[in-house]
Each structure stands twice: as C-alpha cells, then as structure tokens.
Amino acid sequence: MEHFIIDAHSHLWLRQDTVVNGRRISPLPNGRADFMGEERQMLPPFMIDGRNTAEVFLSNMDYAQVAAAVVVQEFIDGEQNEYLAEVARKYPDRFFVNGMCEFREPGFLPQAVGLMDAGFRGLAIPAHRLPLEDGKRVWLNSPEMMELFKEMERRGVILSITLADGDMQVAEMKEVIEECPGLKVAIGHFGMVTTEGWMEQIKLAKAKNVMVEAGGITWLFNSEFYPFPSAVRAIKEAAAEVGMDKLMWGSDYPRTITAITYRMSYDFITKSKELTDEEKHLFLGDNAMRFYGFRNLPVLPYVKNMSE
C-alpha cells in the first residue's frame, strides 16, 4: 500500500469579513485582521491581500508532500460556500470541502438541504460557538438539528464538528451518535486537548462511525513549541483509549503557519521516536483516506531546498 499524507482540518476563504457575537472580523493589510477589536496576524505576512486561496494552499501542500486536504468552515471566517463549491469543482481529487449554514439561528435546515442538493458531501458545524455570548444556547440535540443529522445520515453526508471545551456538549453529541448510528462524524481540534475534560470528546470515537481529527494541535501546544512532545504524548494517550485507527492529523491551515511552516505542522510526527511507522501512516493519512474516500491522489516528490 502506498501511504499518503492527508490534512483533515484546514480553512480557505476569498475574504474574511463577518460578525461574531456582535464583533466584527475583517481583513487588514499584510495578512493581518481586525479580530473582534484586536489586530491579529491571521495569515503569514507574505499573504498581503487577505486572500486565503486554494492555489496558495496547493503550493504549500505540494511543497510539504500533502496529497489532499479536508476544508472545514468556521463562523470567524464568514460563510464560504460559493467559493468552496468552486474549489471542489476545480480540484476534486485534492480537496474535500464542507458546507456551512447559519446554525446560530433557527431555520437553517432548508439551507443545509440546499447545500447537500448542490453536491456538498460534508457539512461543518462550529459548535463551540453555539453557546452564545448573550446567554442563549443552540443545542445539538434540538429537533431541527436532529432532523438535519438524520437527513445527513440518510444521504451519507459527513459531519465535521468542533465542540466547546471539555465535556460541555458531549452528552448532546452522544445523543446524536446514538440516534444516528450511520452518521459519519469527525470531532475537531483533538477534543481541545489542552483543556480539562478533553478525553470525554475523544471517547466519542468509540462509536463505529466517529473519528477525531487533530486540527490545530500545534496551536494548542504553541507555548511548548516545536517539536511538541506533549502533543505526541496526547496522541498516544488518545490512541490508547480509542485506537490509532480513529485519529487523523489536521493542520488548521492557514492560522497555524503564522508560527511554524506547513511541513512542521506534521513532521514532528514523522520525526517522533514515540510512534511506530504503522501508527504514523494511520494518523497522517491512511485513516483520512478511508474515512473521506479520497481517490486518485498524486505522488508528490521531495524537492530539495536551496538551504540544503
């Protein structure tokens, strides 16, 4: 078997311009953003126009020998359905894209059905933002959500979901999994591994069709920095609980590459002596290839750097 590297958690956008909890997020020059009233380096500084496009990402992927990527969506980036549909048409073998609805308000079901009718094979829910700042809360086991999940299960559409820190939404998610045992679910951000109760999210992957992806794990262990030994230990701990065949690597591109290179977001795994070759193959690509059904992946050669 040929082993490929697949990124199970990334982001793309043409323009990041939206409002979350009444606070604006909008692009500034040189890769920066006005992020809820604070200036942040949202993109690497060479991405000067604020555009986070598939073509730039593909250049990074080819250089780092990453064969394919799953693109999720987040409210802080604004809805990108039209652009991601275009990306899927242009690069069907390189990207699996997720649609996103306005899940913070009731009445999202028709839009979700429309996205599935339009060909989206996955939907992303940034559920960690559903406990709203005004004290309201959108419940994952609400009637409209459950109707959506049952329709996704019927159609074979994958759910990519990031949960609030710890076990806040775990009971709701358990009910979803029990009611929709055929629904394929990817739990994001490795259960927010640096927060108390993270293992409760990991345990959800004991269910047959549930996986966990490690998008942003280098961000979560950023204070420790490369080569992220605590991240490797957390991966081993999670594997001991649910099996390495339930875990997938994810980069959280492009946000994480303001601190490290794209290759560094996974090569701390390839260089680790704490994991076997088989565990590395499963985590870095084999599991994602099976779960998302990637086919016709390119074999990407290593290109020597000028500094070597």
Side-chain angles (χ1 to χ4, degrees):
M1 176 181 176
E2 189 151 25
H3 301 285
F4 295 92
I5 299 174
I6 296 173
D7 189 341
H9 187 117
S10 66
H11 301 273
L12 293 173
W13 62 77
L14 281 185
R15 180 174 172 82
Q16 186 186 45
D17 193 359
T18 189
V19 175
V20 175
N21 292 324
R23 290 177 289 180
R24 178 155 292 283
I25 301 163
S26 56
L28 296 172
N30 301 328
R32 298 177 183 178
D34 179 351
F35 185 77
M36 301 183 180
E38 180 183 0
E39 188 169 327
R40 293 281 191 94
Q41 192 70 47
M42 185 66 66
L43 296 167
F46 53 80
M47 295 168 72
I48 60 175
D49 60 1
R51 290 162 55 92
N52 171 32
T53 65
E55 288 72 25
V56 173
F57 190 19
L58 281 169
S59 181
N60 273 283
M61 290 167 62
D62 289 353
Y63 169 74
Q65 299 174 280
V66 174
V70 179
V71 182
V72 301
Q73 294 198 60
E74 228 274 39
F75 293 138
I76 65 170
D77 302 327
E79 176 259 295
Q80 303 290 329
N81 293 326
E82 183 177 354
Y83 178 55
L84 292 186
E86 178 187 339
V87 168
R89 286 191 295 271
K90 290 177 68 175
Y91 309 107
D93 297 331
R94 302 297 301 274
F95 292 112
F96 181 103
V97 303
N98 287 275
M100 185 180 73
C101 304
E102 181 45 87
F103 295 109
R104 294 166 293 186
E105 299 288 341
F108 54 78
L109 184 59
Q111 183 191 8
V113 171
L115 289 173
M116 291 186 281
D117 288 344
F120 278 92
R121 296 180 293 146
L123 294 179
I125 300 182
H128 60 304
R129 301 196 187 275
L130 296 184
L132 306 175
E133 283 195 353
D134 59 7
K136 297 179 182 178
R137 182 166 171 180
V138 179
W139 296 84
L140 297 174
N141 54 357
S142 69
E144 189 173 23
M145 280 287 190
M146 294 302 294
E147 188 175 351
L148 168 62
F149 296 142
K150 289 177 181 179
E151 182 64 16
M152 292 174 67
E153 179 185 33
R154 187 183 71 81
R155 295 181 183 227
V157 172
I158 295 175
L159 171 64
S160 173
I161 189 164
T162 52
L163 301 178
D165 292 0
D167 62 357
M168 176 185 288
Q169 294 169 313
V170 167
E172 298 164 56
M173 201 65 228
K174 282 182 178 178
E175 184 175 336
V176 171
I177 293 166
E178 289 169 2
E179 288 289 318
C180 306
L183 176 66
K184 296 177 73 173
V185 180
I187 306 293
H189 290 318
F190 218 66
M192 293 301 291
V193 58
T194 52
T195 62
E196 185 177 354
W198 69 280
M199 187 56 73
E200 295 308 306
Q201 293 191 35
I202 302 298
K203 290 176 182 177
L204 293 170
K206 291 183 177 182
K208 179 181 178 182
N209 290 309
V210 180
M211 302 284 285
V212 174
E213 44 92 341
I217 197 168
T218 61
W219 152 62
L220 291 164
F221 287 100
N222 183 64
S223 61
E224 179 182 83
F225 208 65
Y226 189 89
F228 310 106
S230 295
V232 175
R233 286 192 292 270
I235 292 165
K236 288 176 62 66
E237 185 178 351
E241 187 68 40
V242 299
M244 189 62 81
D245 62 332
K246 287 303 196 88
L247 308 178
M248 303 180 290
W249 167 68
S251 71
D252 207 13
Y253 175 99
R255 287 183 259 275
T256 47
I257 64 166
T258 58
I260 58 176
T261 68
Y262 186 49
R263 183 184 292 275
M264 287 168 71
S265 68
Y266 77 80
D267 77 352
F268 74 97
I269 295 293
T270 62
K271 293 174 180 176
S272 173
K273 297 180 180 179
E274 303 299 314
L275 299 167
T276 67
D277 286 346
E278 178 60 21
E279 289 172 328
K280 293 173 184 178
H281 292 320
L282 290 171
F283 183 70
L284 290 176
D286 291 0
N287 293 337
M289 188 181 340
R290 167 178 51 84
F291 186 72
Y292 288 101
F294 282 106
R295 299 289 185 271
N296 305 315
L297 295 177
V299 177
L300 300 169
Y302 178 77
V303 178
K304 191 174 181 180
N305 289 320
M306 280 296 294
S307 59
E308 293 180 77

